[in-house]
Amino acid sequence: MDPRIREHAETIVDHSIELEAGDDLVIQLPAEAEDLAVALHEYAGDIGANPVYLNNSQRAARAYLRAREDDFELPEHELALYEAADAFVIARSGGNVSEKADVDPETTADYNRARRPVQTERLSKTWCLTQFPTSGHAQLAGMSTEEYENFVYDAVSIDWEAQAKFQQQMVELIDDAEEVRIKSGEETDLTMSVAGNTALNDDGKANLPGGEVFTAPVKDSVNGEVYFDLPLYRQGREIEGVRLTFEDGRVEEFSAERNEEVLEGVFNTDENARYLGELGIGMNRAIDRFTYNMLFDEKMGDTVHMAVGSAYPETVGEGNEVNESAEHVDMIVDMSEDSVIELDGEVVQRDGTFTFEDGEGE
């Protein structure tokens, strides 16, 4: 076994989920990530935790979604598993990143609606989403398999204590602010209130790699237009050139240059899928290239991302409404050129450089 896999597992167990003796752990990985599952089981055994291993097969999921003809029902047995669990780990992996490309977006939306209580329960527990490198994701990223392995393991093994300190500077700025403005080029100019809400420091806990500061906007406060100039993969299909227009928090107009029907399926999932649940600011300088993988891409320095759909309850202050949806879809704006982030009218980032970084203004 590659020793970096055991190091990855150790980081998950000790840093991301802080596994303890007696904890009931759900490990949900595809077959391609079996080595990581083995390493996680070894650490769970050493600690005295109780693992359950689920094979997360995209081929099986595709077969089920294409075969089902009647309405989906809440999977009570799956819900019971997560109700009983203390923590869970899930990894993205697999040989074919487009495995579910021929599943109808409306079918996926119906499925997500039925499983929403499962998603809510999982997110209420200690959890970690990570990546196991495979040739499929390497191909998507335009890298050799070895190059992609190095990219992944370099990104998950940084000094997380130092990264947390760096990001904490942005947390404090947002927590002291009431209004955020994101401006980029001629097509993005968006304002939102964050008054009363909380910014969180993603230092490799729930996401590994981490590397962002994120919060929730006040639900009805988002106004303006945004152009997401970096694409995303959704249901095995690439969505490009997304444009959204917000009025009083709601997406009133949308378009995409490619696979717009997939985006429409997201917005048709439920009414709250048309509201913004998250604003995130990428701050991980170790992630220096776009790979068509949101787990990494949203953490890149020089980017911001916004997610339509559900908000993380811990980012929403008392008295503000938590946006609840079966969807949570992140999209990215490149902020490296002709861009600013403003907090209460003061610029805190220009062209990707934060005001608290060395070299600002040079």
Side-chain angles (χ1 to χ4, degrees):
M1 183 186 296
D2 187 329
R4 296 176 299 180
I5 297 176
R6 282 197 168 88
E7 182 181 355
H8 189 184
E10 183 178 15
T11 301
I12 293 170
V13 166
D14 290 344
H15 174 73
S16 299
I17 62 173
E18 298 179 338
L19 195 66
E20 296 180 352
D23 281 351
D24 294 327
L25 171 65
V26 177
I27 299 170
Q28 187 174 344
L29 309 180
E32 292 86 350
E34 185 178 22
D35 279 353
L36 179 58
V38 170
L40 287 169
H41 278 74
E42 288 177 346
Y43 282 111
D46 287 342
I47 291 169
N50 309 308
V52 171
Y53 180 25
L54 306 180
N55 182 2
N56 184 21
S57 168
Q58 293 299 296
R59 287 184 62 203
R62 170 190 174 273
Y64 173 69
L65 291 173
R66 285 175 57 86
R68 183 79 182 233
E69 295 182 354
D70 53 349
D71 292 338
F72 293 100
E73 299 175 354
L74 171 65
E76 298 280 359
H77 60 307
E78 186 182 6
L79 178 60
L81 174 65
Y82 287 106
E83 287 175 340
D86 297 301
F88 79 92
V89 176
I90 185 169
R92 292 178 175 173
S93 187
N96 183 0
V97 298
S98 299
E99 189 64 57
K100 293 161 72 176
D102 56 356
V103 176
D104 187 336
E106 288 300 323
T107 299
T108 300
D110 290 343
Y111 179 63
N112 288 341
R113 276 193 292 269
R115 294 185 71 258
R116 180 173 161 185
V118 176
Q119 178 194 47
T120 301
E121 185 64 31
R122 289 200 315 183
L123 292 178
S124 73
K125 300 302 176 75
T126 300
W127 57 277
C128 176
L129 170 65
T130 192
Q131 177 76 37
F132 186 84
T134 59
S135 57
H137 279 89
Q139 186 175 29
L140 184 64
M143 301 184 197
S144 68
T145 302
E146 181 180 3
E147 183 183 17
Y148 187 66
E149 288 173 349
N150 294 336
F151 170 79
V152 169
Y153 291 126
D154 286 348
V156 302
S157 61
I158 66 173
D159 183 340
W160 289 112
E161 183 178 354
Q163 184 70 23
K165 289 181 180 178
F166 172 59
Q167 293 173 181
Q168 186 61 29
Q169 299 171 91
M170 194 65 197
V171 170
E172 293 170 2
L173 288 173
I174 294 176
D175 280 344
D176 287 340
E178 293 192 357
E179 184 180 82
V180 180
R181 182 186 185 191
I182 307 294
K183 192 174 186 306
S184 181
E186 298 298 322
E187 296 191 81
T188 294
D189 194 348
L190 200 68
T191 60
M192 65 191 73
S193 172
V194 293
N197 286 349
T198 300
L200 297 184
N201 189 337
D202 172 23
D203 60 347
K205 300 282 189 180
N207 282 183
L208 185 65
E212 65 171 293
V213 169
F214 64 101
T215 189
V218 174
K219 182 176 178 179
D220 61 357
S221 71
V222 185
N223 285 285
E225 299 179 346
V226 56
Y227 173 58
F228 296 101
D229 43 7
L230 293 177
L232 69 147
Y233 249 76
R234 177 75 178 174
Q235 299 166 214
R237 279 171 279 187
E238 183 179 4
I239 308 175
E240 289 185 317
V242 173
R243 290 176 172 84
L244 305 180
T245 299
F246 288 87
E247 295 180 11
D248 297 330
R250 189 178 188 273
V251 174
E252 296 295 348
E253 297 179 18
F254 67 88
S255 66
E257 295 163 9
R258 185 180 182 191
N259 284 322
E260 183 176 303
E261 69 278 6
V262 181
L263 183 66
E264 184 176 10
V266 170
F267 290 132
N268 288 343
T269 301
D270 51 51
E271 172 59 21
N272 284 340
R274 287 180 174 263
Y275 288 82
L276 206 60
E278 179 192 359
L279 169 68
I281 300 169
M283 299 183 68
N284 189 337
R285 302 297 189 196
I287 302 173
D288 59 0
R289 67 184 80 181
F290 182 76
T291 62
Y292 290 94
N293 185 335
M294 194 60 68
L295 180 61
F296 291 80
D297 298 338
E298 69 175 7
K299 313 301 190 326
M300 286 191 298
D302 306 352
T303 65
V304 299
H305 59 276
M306 305 172 203
V308 293
S310 62
Y312 295 106
E314 58 268 35
T315 65
V316 180
E318 186 177 354
N320 286 341
E321 180 181 353
V322 178
N323 194 50
E324 296 182 349
S325 171
E327 293 287 4
H328 182 94
V329 180
D330 293 287
M331 293 172 276
I332 301 174
V333 180
D334 182 351
M335 300 290 288
S336 62
E337 296 181 0
D338 193 22
S339 302
V340 295
I341 301 174
E342 296 179 2
L343 299 179
D344 295 337
E346 296 291 329
V347 173
V348 297
Q349 187 200 72
R350 186 181 301 278
D351 299 340
T353 301
F354 296 98
T355 54
F356 49 79
E357 288 186 284
D358 291 340
E360 171 67 6
E362 294 181 0

